[in-house]
Amino acid sequence: MPPSPKSLQEMLKQRQRSDFVGREDYLSTFGDNLKLPLEDSRRRFLFNVWGQGGVGKSTLLKQFSKAAQESGAAVAYTDESEASVPEAMGRLAKQFTEQGYKLNQFTDRYRLYRQRQQELETDPEAPQGFSAMVGKTMAKAGIKLGRRVPVGGAVLDLIESAAYG
């Protein structure tokens, strides 16, 4: 029995993967890094991708993500569309949860944070800007909690220095 024909979407995805040109060194370095034991001093926990718009950063990140997933790593993504550090953390936590990694303590606290934030934003008696101040305080608390997660401390150092100077 002949194999069923591929859909147009499957063919396009396959072509995009095979046509990915110009960043083979980055992909190779990233893939080799994933094979190193966590304790190995050569192992990197942070890869920085930057450049002008339209040069293939998103495509490279998709390739990194695919390689990481194939190696059994948990993968999550956020970008500048998140308005605050807590929102970015919430988006990442949701993606980890969807992959089967339960973050019960964070999820409960984030749900409470969102509820309280909504209450503050809709309270006509709350001082102007109070919600933003509470958000920053919660972000700092979230960063301190995140430092307890292995490897999280290094990533959160970067977030904290970017967000709070």
Side-chain angles (χ1 to χ4, degrees):
M1 187 164 131
S4 59
K6 291 183 180 180
S7 70
L8 179 59
Q9 186 177 13
E10 289 172 325
M11 289 187 285
L12 290 173
K13 282 183 180 180
Q14 183 178 6
R15 287 182 187 176
Q16 286 175 339
R17 283 192 296 267
S18 64
D19 291 345
F20 188 70
V21 178
R23 302 268 178 117
E24 291 89 359
D25 289 344
Y26 292 114
L27 285 172
S28 177
T29 300
F30 186 79
D32 291 345
N33 186 70
L34 289 170
K35 295 173 189 168
L36 294 172
L38 293 174
E39 302 80 18
D40 192 314
S41 63
R42 297 170 296 162
R43 176 76 183 244
R44 299 293 169 241
F45 298 104
L46 189 63
F47 280 76
N48 183 19
V49 177
W50 60 276
Q52 292 179 313
V55 297
K57 296 180 301 296
S58 295
T59 303
L60 178 61
L61 287 173
K62 287 177 188 173
Q63 295 290 327
F64 279 178
S65 180
K66 182 176 180 271
Q69 286 174 329
E70 288 172 354
S71 77
V75 176
Y77 176 83
T78 190
D79 57 25
E80 71 279 353
S81 66
E82 304 304 329
S84 66
V85 173
E87 285 183 28
M89 292 171 66
R91 181 175 175 184
L92 296 173
K94 180 181 178 201
Q95 292 173 53
F96 287 137
T97 300
E98 289 169 352
Q99 294 173 54
Y101 299 95
K102 302 282 186 222
L103 303 172
N104 295 331
Q105 187 177 12
F106 174 81
T107 302
D108 291 343
R109 289 182 179 188
Y110 183 66
R111 188 178 305 117
L112 180 63
Y113 162 77
R114 295 287 294 157
Q115 179 183 346
R116 296 289 197 264
Q117 182 184 32
Q118 189 172 19
E119 289 170 6
L120 280 172
E121 289 172 353
T122 58
D123 183 358
E125 301 294 318
Q128 189 76 356
F130 185 69
S131 177
M133 186 270 302
V134 170
K136 283 187 177 183
T137 302
M138 292 299 290
K140 287 180 182 180
I143 287 172
K144 287 183 181 181
L145 282 173
R147 290 192 193 290
R148 296 180 183 172
V149 177
V151 184
V155 174
L156 291 171
D157 282 341
L158 294 172
I159 292 172
E160 186 176 30
S161 66
Y164 303 112

